[in-house]
Amino acid sequence: MKIHFSSFWIPVLLLLLAFQPGEKAPAISQDPRLMSVAWFTFSAEKEACYLQTYRLAAMQLEREMESNKANPLQPIIITDLDETVLDNSAWSAKVLLEGKDYPDYWSDWEKAARAPAFPGAVEYFRKAQQMGIEVFYISNRQEKNLGAAILNLKNLGLPFADSAHIFLKTNTSNKVERRNAISKNKQILMLLGDNLADFDGVWEEKINPEERMKAVMDRKELWGKKFIIFPNPVYGTWKDALFGYRKVKFGQTADSVWQEALTRYLNRYMF
Ligand SMILES: [Mg+2]
């Protein structure tokens, strides 16, 4: 009997393809996240950077209080949580080691309420409280894990660790509405974050990396004064913008995107 190619081999091939094991995690040294997670996890420079920034922010806070003392509105600080107050490097290390990615294990990590605070954070927010400033936390942690967030902040000794001061993500990650609701009839002295969207709605828009940079320069008098930013090379909208806001998982080939972006940069400073 003559077996026709299409009637026999195609189903066999399809069966073989169906039983291929899932995409294997690449070797850890091939994972583009390794260096940034390593820096965040092991570099003492990072610790010094947070200490330095919180110390300078505290000094600036005194100046802001002084120059705004005629304002009768309640002075407040609005801060982000993750990679601003709370250090999630343990979660980053776990997903990296296991070849996983967000949102794997993220909810478990939130519920564990075990994130440590960055150096200088607790002292800064306690000082603000002593100065009569109210602190509000806006975070895109999940609303269903609010209890764990309160517990985490309380255990660290952070002030205002209650449901009236912590605003988590409900139906949108956009922080503008929450910021507006909180600051109604109050004066914002300072905003702290690791992502530009923690500061202004302009960075909630899907703009490209160059436009994001321009928006920073357009507000250059605010940095170090009212806006205090921390470095986050591990994740953030900066990376989403580079990938055109497409969901690119670490294991997928992104070489062409990296090459195109680096070439575009190099062309500006050709040597
Ligand atoms: Mg953050």
Side-chain angles (χ1 to χ4, degrees), residues 80 82-84 194 198 235:
D80 169 53
D82 296 315
E83 275 53 66
T84 297
D194 65 301
D198 296 326
Y235 66 88

Side-chain angles (χ1 to χ4, degrees), residues 26-65:
I28 198 163
S29 62
Q30 300 299 307
D31 191 315
R33 300 172 299 179
L34 175 62
M35 289 303 284
S36 56
V37 172
W39 186 84
F40 225 90
T41 311
F42 299 111
S43 79
E45 284 81 354
K46 181 210 76 181
E47 303 288 286
C49 183
Y50 275 88
L51 274 176
Q52 164 190 271
T53 307
Y54 272 118
R55 181 182 166 82
L56 292 173
M59 288 159 67
Q60 179 58 24
L61 200 52
E62 285 174 4
R63 282 191 219 129
E64 289 295 302
M65 271 298 264

